Amino acid sequence: MGETTCFGRVRRAFTGLYTSGCTVWAINCFGRIRRAFTGLYTEHNIYLPTEMLLAITGFHLADRWKRRYWVRWAFQATRLIELLQYLMWVDRFYLSVLDASVNPGKTLHCTNGCGLLTMCLVRVLVFGWYMEDVKRTTDYLQRQREQSVPSDSYRKIVNYALVCESLGLADRAMYYFSRSYREDLYEIPANILALGRHAELGAFLVNFDFSFRWSATYNVSFTIMNTLLIGLYDELACIAADYGQLFAGNAAPQRLRGTFDWDQLERHIARTVHRHEVFQGQLSNIKPFLRTAFLLMFYAAVQLLTLGAFMISVNGITTYGVILVGFLTVVIFECYWCCRLVDRLNDMNASIGTLLYSLDWPTKLRYSPRDASRYRQARTSLSIIFSKTQNGLNITGGGMFEICSEAFARLMKISYTLLMFLRDTQRRSFR
């Protein structure tokens, strides 16, 4: 009886220790996660989300992270894993082409998957080609944001990046609960299986985090486009607010006495016009990247939407089809959102012209004959800015079409037309 009582006490003591230990561990983990999210949402650098995604995918490591040896080693390993994952899908595509007469559906699946990965790689490589220009523009935007009124734009950029990356997390749930999904997305090519169990285990380990990693690869382009367009819009909105304050401030008491503080007005105009010219210079600097990125986004979206919708219409709604629908939704949202951001930029640019045109110069700005030359100089400076705002920002896709809501509507029409063509071709082949 004594032994039983003693044993019970020891067991309860260990149970309490284990329970309290698990509780403390859970509390500590929750605290770390909360601090991580707090740090992520704190804007230190508008370019930070893109840098993190580039490091995850193995394309670029920021200088401040290169000082740690284990970070550099993990980065090189990540780059190798990404390359092996892509080569594995190229191998699957090659084998499916050889077996096309037996299973055409599998060929279509591998073609769509390989095309998707190639699109992600090309878009990131284009970004790498223009990385210096992008970094120069993001540094400029960060400097301007530090001098302006704080906004929630950075939080929007992080939220969109996290939503896009959630596809990789949803993939883990599908992987464990759906065998058909594992076979569709994580199938190991037959020629690798023929090499033995060690090759099969290596391929499994390399391919384990496939969706999460390639979601991050796609997310790089999505996030940098958000960063640039939202940052440019915020800066242009601040410039518009500066133009709106031309007749405000310390000059108000002077106007009540029927005079005007010309020195203050000229300083305000010179400062605002200079800020606007710097903005236009940065926009010209980043336009080549925007044109190439928008062109790739447009035609890649046409291909992905057409083939993805055709696969779903042929195979029906499968587990893989559910994830594919989610990804296609992200593709549509990216195209719509980027077109919408460019529309907002153009609208803000046009609003500056409207604001300058509607300034009440005769009522607000009274001048004596000796100030007539200063009046004409101020009007001339602002007239030049007004004329520039009438031309639009001219953000295009490869110089072939303007990025706007009409371009998004055209994309959907082209995708639907190609889908109907493929469906009609399929029906004729089965007659």
Side-chain angles (χ1 to χ4, degrees), residues 246 250 261-273:
L246 283 178
N250 296 328
D261 188 347
W262 283 100
D263 292 334
Q264 180 190 1
L265 178 64
E266 289 173 346
R267 286 195 300 269
H268 193 159
I269 291 177
R271 183 176 63 252
T272 307
V273 170

Side-chain angles (χ1 to χ4, degrees), residues 364-381:
K364 299 291 186 182
L365 188 55
R366 298 177 181 179
Y367 60 94
S368 61
R370 65 177 182 177
D371 295 326
S373 61
R374 306 180 79 175
Y375 174 83
R376 287 192 296 269
Q377 181 62 36
R379 290 293 299 265
T380 300
S381 300

Side-chain angles (χ1 to χ4, degrees), residues 90-100 106-107 189-192:
V90 172
D91 188 24
R92 288 183 62 180
F93 171 70
Y94 172 73
L95 295 178
S96 66
V97 170
L98 296 180
D99 195 33
K106 185 176 180 180
T107 303
N191 52 2
I192 295 180

Side-chain angles (χ1 to χ4, degrees), residues 4-41:
T4 305
T5 304
C6 183
F7 175 76
R9 290 176 180 176
V10 172
R11 184 181 62 181
R12 286 193 296 271
F14 273 100
T15 302
L17 179 63
Y18 175 77
T19 305
S20 61
C22 290
T23 304
V24 171
W25 179 83
I27 293 174
N28 289 337
C29 287
F30 177 76
R32 290 176 182 175
I33 294 173
R34 184 178 61 182
R35 287 192 298 270
F37 272 95
T38 301
L40 183 62
Y41 280 115

Side-chain angles (χ1 to χ4, degrees), residues 312 317 320-330:
I312 293 172
I317 299 297
Y320 174 75
V322 172
I323 292 291
L324 183 59
V325 168
F327 177 76
L328 295 181
T329 302
V330 172

Side-chain angles (χ1 to χ4, degrees), residues 389-403:
T389 60
Q390 303 308 299
N391 299 327
L393 297 178
N394 192 30
I395 300 177
T396 63
M400 295 187 292
F401 56 89
E402 186 176 359
I403 299 299

Side-chain angles (χ1 to χ4, degrees), residues 192-193 195-205:
I192 295 180
L193 292 175
L195 297 177
R197 293 185 59 83
H198 295 289
E200 180 182 356
L201 178 61
F204 171 78
L205 294 177

